[in-house]
Amino acid sequence: MATLNVRYFAGARAAAGGVRAEPAEAATLEELKQLLTDRHGERLGVVLKAASFLVDGLSCHDQTASLPADATIDVLPPFAGG
């Protein structure tokens, strides 16, 4: 299981209760999304379903791909007009 630095932006930050960044341990994005939903509640879970994810700055669409240890995961919700 990888130790990750999760950073929240815009509506994801609001849904996470204003948290800007936090550590988390997960092997995949799928697992990370469940962990973060359990930690912060269903409001964040809804945002995570529509969010895009950057893994060390690169877009990641495969929810089951292994995450590298010490990766930075950026949670980007859909933006207005985008």
Side-chain angles (χ1 to χ4, degrees):
M1 192 168 304
T3 299
L4 311 164
N5 181 39
V6 181
R7 300 188 305 183
Y8 300 100
F9 294 88
R13 181 180 299 153
V19 174
R20 291 183 178 271
E22 66 182 336
E25 290 189 7
T28 65
L29 282 178
E30 190 173 72
E31 187 177 307
L32 179 63
K33 287 167 52 175
Q34 185 61 55
L35 172 80
L36 298 176
T37 299
D38 292 346
R39 186 181 289 176
H40 295 287
E42 192 54 38
R43 182 174 173 215
L44 180 59
V46 169
V47 172
L48 294 175
K49 289 177 185 175
S52 297
F53 298 89
L54 300 180
V55 177
D56 288 336
L58 300 174
S59 182
C60 182
H61 301 286
D62 184 352
Q63 303 290 303
T64 62
S66 295
L67 295 171
D70 299 319
T72 296
I73 310 298
D74 293 329
V75 180
L76 307 171
F79 292 94

